[in-house]
Amino acid sequence: MTQHRHTALRRGAFIAIPVAGALVLAGCSGSGDEGDSGSTGFSFTYATSNNLESPYEALANAYMEANPGVDIELNPQPNDNYDTTVRTQLQAGNATDIIQTVPGAGQPRSVVELAEAGFLAPLGDASAAIISEGTENLFQVDGETYGQPVDFTVTGIVANLTTAQDAGVDEFPDDFNAFLDACADVAASGKSMVALAGAAAPNTGLMAMSISATRVYAETPDWNEQRAAGDTTFAESEGWQDTLQTVIDMHEAGCFQPGAEGGGFDAITNGLAGGTSIAAFAPGGSAVEIAQAAPEGVQFMIEPFPADNSDAFILASSNYSLSITEGSENQEAAQDFLDWVAGAEGAQIFADASGQLPVKGYEELELEGTVYESSAELLTSGAYAPLPNTIWPNASVYDALASGVQGLLTGQNTIDDVLSAMDAAWG
Amino acid sequence: MTQTPTSATRAVVLPEPTGRRARRPRKRPQGMLAFGHWWWALPGILLVLGIHYASTAVGGFFAFTDWTGLGAFQLIGLDNFVEIFSDPTKIGAVGNTLFLAIASVIITNVAGLGIAVGLNRGLKSRYVLRTLFFMPVVLSPLAVSYIWKFIFDYNGPFNGFLGMIGLEEAIRPWLADPEWAIWIVLVVISWQNTGFAMVIYMAGLAAVPVEIEEAAAIDGANLWQRFWHVTLPSIRPAVAIATTLGLVNGLRIFDQIMALTGGGPAGATETLATEVYKESFALGNFGYGAALALILTLIILVFAVIQQRLTGERREA
């Protein structure tokens, strides 16, 4: 009898434990569903390059503070593998509700490419309203908006004016010949005019694009459209030939620090903050980051690259955007957040945290006394073009340019080699 | 007084009655065991098929498409392969891959064999030295490469040393020098992998009887003759394993290049492995990257077949 009772108990346990477990799990699941239905939370993936507070994190924290019921799950990813991570998550259907994207189609995280593949959800009217006129095709596909710009980035030369004065350069040159002369003088004083991360493709590419503002886009603002239509090529373009020749001229004049071909980003940070270099090619926001690492009282300025037989011109555009993923179950909460970011408060928080200009209304800002003082006139007169690679059709064109510039510095490539490679990459 | 074994003791120590022993194979039939073997092996077989063969086959399929890693794709036949073999940078990457694999295998095996012979017997400090020589093998290739990157940095200790001994004209950005960068990569790979070859040769040398060498010495063979005609033929299987494993590992080299040069300057140190990563994951050309990976797989397969043949010779010997 006892034996039978034990057996029955054991059988009962075998059945009861899994059933109880299933009920507990179902209960957990049920409570989760209940929570979701009333939840205003969402998840947010963005790229980060350093240990400073990301402007996206600042946005999320400010939004949560203003909306106590909202819980934002932040998912920062190292910039190096951001593209791989996001594309894998999108493909697998487990991407976060909001992802950081970039305008156009020139990079693996670009709005147009991801939208055309069906991985982004259309955004609301507030997102469309802050897109600058003439740049709609960088954020929209078939009339629907898939990316909301969050910044207005001025890209030129970030100059340490304090170091410049120490090296005898009282005014930053606005003429290319004067710039080359200054390079020689500064090199003679044991410093360098430009700190270059020659081994880092993002920096060599950015340098060439910054120079192209005056050599290509000042005269032909729609050069990219002409290239897309097949009316011109990089190899045929005198402007692009001048751009790369300028790089060689700078190298020969001793504008870069010794060993610049092998330099990393530390060469820029250490050079500008430590006072061994005067300037570096960088987005405007980085001036704020570098200033944080520099001694107090050091003055930084974002200067346009000196013109050569052309008008002054600079690169300025929205270079970052936010998108809602197609599979998101919290699209409403995510769109509410984007609407807030598009407003004056959100835009200003992002601008303050990133060191860039706010996405809307920058034309009316008083920029005197800020790092943007030298570029203010160009911005108000409209003498600027968007970052070229946001308009290029794929990431390989920029890669060919960035790698090619390093090859120019090491003597591996000629100008024709680089421009032909860019044309081949364009497809 | 005699002791009778307990049932537990009997079960462990004593032979069982003849009848039961004879019956057991029939009572626990081999069919069940064989059936059990299949089931036990099944998860492993499925994992191998799924992870190795199926994923490789799917990856191989994408080599014939224009897939960007997202959305739809089209079959484009051999276009990716035509593009690869008409692009000088990709041909250069194949050349760099073979150069690094072959040169590193020669250097690591010659150095590894030399160290193994030197530390085989006799030397009192050989155990400490073996550990020191093997230590780089267990270190992370990335961590090691970043240290070497610092050493060869323009403002690093190597250039500092050159300046100190009066060789200022030799100072250069070594890892951004198109002629020298690949040699620096080779130095780092060889430094890290020599210990692995050494261990294989030490295992081989341990199996060589001292008596054979002594007999050769008595017959008048000098040190070199003993090594060349007695020791080396005796460790031929170790040579086969060390060279082929080193070659296959050399063909897959990736971490050190990414950390040291990132494939630069201007592609001067790109290999097939770094190109696969760059094209597939950085530039979003997944189909093209898959084609490069397929070529790398085929090259490794050729060397794997060579390894199989050498292993076969060892068995026959």
Side-chain angles (χ1 to χ4, degrees):
Chain A
M1 260 317 259
T2 313
Q3 182 69 29
H4 278 283
R5 200 173 66 204
H6 284 169
T7 311
L9 276 173
R10 216 172 286 137
R11 278 182 192 155
F14 268 118
I15 296 166
I17 290 169
V19 169
L23 287 172
V24 168
L25 289 174
C28 293
S29 163
S31 66
D33 287 341
E34 195 181 336
D36 284 350
S37 62
S39 169
T40 52
F42 57 90
S43 50
F44 180 11
T45 298
Y46 54 89
T48 179
S49 304
N50 52 43
N51 55 5
L52 301 173
E53 186 191 37
S54 160
Y56 301 103
E57 189 182 349
L59 274 180
N61 289 336
Y63 187 69
M64 284 191 284
E65 201 175 321
N67 300 276
V70 177
D71 181 31
I72 304 176
E73 186 188 329
L74 296 176
N75 182 29
Q77 292 293 322
N79 198 39
D80 291 349
N81 56 20
Y82 180 81
D83 295 333
T84 313
T85 304
V86 166
R87 288 167 77 101
T88 305
Q89 288 178 341
L90 288 169
Q91 195 75 26
N94 58 359
T96 55
D97 300 306
I98 295 180
I99 58 171
Q100 182 212 321
T101 49
V102 295
Q107 296 180 47
R109 68 184 79 165
S110 292
V111 169
V112 173
E113 189 173 343
L114 296 177
E116 284 179 341
F119 290 111
L120 302 182
L123 303 181
D125 293 339
S127 302
I130 60 167
I131 296 173
S132 297
E133 201 179 325
T135 63
E136 291 84 357
N137 60 338
L138 302 180
F139 302 92
Q140 296 179 339
V141 175
D142 297 334
E144 294 276 12
T145 302
Y146 291 95
Q148 174 179 311
V150 290
D151 67 313
F152 188 75
T153 301
V154 179
T155 303
I157 294 188
V158 173
N160 180 335
L161 298 185
T162 310
T163 304
Q165 282 165 2
D166 292 347
V169 181
D170 295 329
E171 265 192 41
F172 198 84
D174 57 2
D175 171 75
F176 186 56
N177 287 328
F179 182 84
L180 289 181
D181 291 342
C183 283
D185 296 341
V186 173
S189 71
K191 297 181 178 181
S192 74
M193 190 69 173
V194 177
L196 179 70
N203 194 234
T204 51
L206 194 70
M207 172 174 70
M209 290 198 302
S210 299
I211 297 170
S212 74
T214 51
R215 273 65 174 171
V216 180
Y217 297 98
E219 280 188 24
T220 320
D222 65 340
W223 190 90
N224 291 319
E225 287 73 22
Q226 290 185 24
R227 177 64 186 84
D231 297 337
T232 185
T233 63
F234 285 102
E236 288 171 5
S237 165
E238 279 186 25
W240 277 104
Q241 289 171 12
D242 285 351
T243 298
L244 298 188
Q245 184 59 49
T246 302
V247 174
I248 295 172
D249 291 344
M250 288 168 67
H251 188 42
E252 289 173 351
C255 292
F256 306 124
Q257 83 278 15
E261 307 94 305
F265 281 112
D266 56 322
I268 294 176
T269 313
N270 297 338
L272 262 64
T276 54
S277 296
I278 290 176
F281 290 92
S286 60
V288 176
E289 285 180 17
I290 295 168
Q292 287 176 4
E296 207 169 322
V298 174
Q299 192 189 355
F300 285 89
M301 188 67 70
I302 298 159
E303 302 281 353
F305 187 76
D308 185 25
N309 302 324
S310 62
D311 296 331
F313 212 74
I314 201 164
L315 299 178
S317 53
S318 294
N319 296 347
Y320 303 96
S321 52
L322 296 177
S323 301
I324 298 177
T325 53
E326 177 57 34
S328 166
E329 292 176 357
N330 302 301
Q331 289 196 16
E332 199 177 323
Q335 184 63 59
D336 287 346
F337 173 69
L338 293 193
D339 290 349
W340 177 81
V341 173
E345 186 188 355
Q348 194 57 50
I349 289 171
F350 189 87
D352 291 343
S354 65
Q356 290 151 357
L357 293 172
V359 64
K360 261 301 191 198
Y362 52 84
E363 305 93 336
E364 290 140 27
L365 288 176
E366 180 54 65
L367 297 177
E368 201 174 321
T370 71
V371 293
Y372 295 99
E373 186 177 326
S374 298
S375 317
E377 199 181 319
L378 298 178
L379 295 178
T380 50
S381 64
Y384 60 85
L387 206 61
N389 70 328
T390 57
I391 302 169
W392 295 348
N394 59 59
S396 299
V397 183
Y398 182 75
D399 182 66
L401 172 65
S403 172
V405 168
Q406 192 187 21
L408 288 177
L409 299 175
T410 57
Q412 289 166 272
N413 293 336
T414 63
I415 291 173
D416 286 342
D417 291 339
V418 180
L419 297 177
S420 300
M422 291 173 73
D423 280 320
W426 189 289
Chain B
M1 188 177 167
T2 55
Q3 288 184 327
T4 53
T6 62
S7 59
T9 314
R10 184 183 291 119
V12 175
V13 177
L14 296 180
E16 294 186 7
T18 319
R20 279 188 70 185
R21 195 169 54 184
R23 277 197 307 272
R24 188 150 65 169
R26 287 197 300 269
K27 282 279 185 184
R28 296 175 184 271
Q30 285 178 349
M32 276 297 286
L33 205 60
F35 183 69
H37 281 163
W38 266 105
W39 281 106
W40 295 335
L42 194 59
I45 292 169
L46 289 177
L47 282 173
V48 167
L49 287 176
I51 293 172
H52 283 278
Y53 294 98
S55 57
T56 305
V58 171
F61 167 75
F62 280 113
F64 302 95
T65 71
D66 62 354
W67 196 39
T68 61
L70 287 174
F73 57 82
Q74 287 187 321
L75 281 169
I76 55 168
L78 296 173
D79 286 4
N80 285 329
F81 297 93
V82 172
E83 197 177 337
I84 288 169
F85 287 110
S86 58
D87 182 348
T89 61
K90 301 299 179 286
I91 302 290
V94 174
N96 286 340
T97 306
L98 294 174
F99 168 75
L100 285 174
I102 293 168
S104 69
V105 90
I106 291 170
I107 293 170
T108 54
N109 279 274
V110 169
L113 181 57
I115 294 167
V117 169
L119 301 180
N120 189 31
R121 48 179 101 96
L123 202 64
K124 275 189 175 176
S125 57
R126 62 183 183 276
Y127 296 109
V128 176
L129 289 172
R130 282 174 191 174
T131 308
L132 286 176
F133 280 114
F134 188 68
M135 204 173 277
V137 178
V138 299
L139 297 176
S140 154
L142 272 180
V144 164
S145 301
Y146 280 118
I147 292 170
W148 281 101
K149 186 178 184 179
F150 165 72
I151 291 170
F152 285 107
D153 188 76
Y154 187 80
N155 299 312
F158 187 68
N159 275 346
F161 172 73
L162 290 177
M164 197 172 70
I165 60 174
L167 291 173
E168 284 88 359
E169 69 277 6
I171 290 174
R172 67 192 69 209
W174 295 94
L175 292 168
D177 188 298
E179 287 176 11
W180 281 97
I182 192 99
W183 292 98
I184 304 298
V185 172
L186 181 61
V187 166
V188 175
I189 296 169
S190 304
W191 178 83
Q192 185 153 36
N193 294 345
T194 296
F196 184 65
M198 177 198 77
V199 165
I200 294 174
Y201 287 124
M202 291 190 78
L205 288 169
V208 180
V210 184
E211 291 79 5
I212 302 178
E213 287 186 57
E214 286 175 351
I218 291 166
D219 287 345
N222 62 28
L223 197 64
W224 173 250
Q225 287 170 323
R226 290 208 303 274
F227 171 75
W228 191 252
H229 295 291
V230 178
T231 308
L232 197 56
S234 304
I235 60 164
R236 194 175 291 160
V239 175
I241 291 168
T243 51
T244 48
L245 284 182
L247 206 55
V248 171
N249 282 332
L251 289 167
R252 299 184 306 182
I253 201 78
F254 177 79
D255 307 30
Q256 290 94 335
I257 293 176
M258 290 307 284
L260 286 166
T261 64
T269 57
E270 292 280 12
T271 63
L272 278 172
T274 60
E275 286 280 8
V276 168
Y277 172 79
K278 195 171 109 179
E279 291 291 345
S280 302
F281 301 113
L283 301 179
N285 300 325
F286 201 91
Y288 190 75
L292 283 165
L294 199 58
I295 292 171
L296 178 60
T297 306
L298 289 174
I299 292 174
I300 292 176
L301 191 66
V302 168
F303 287 105
V305 168
I306 294 169
Q307 180 192 10
Q308 285 290 316
R309 293 201 168 190
L310 288 171
T311 313
E313 280 177 20
R314 184 188 62 167
R315 283 189 190 130
E316 284 162 20

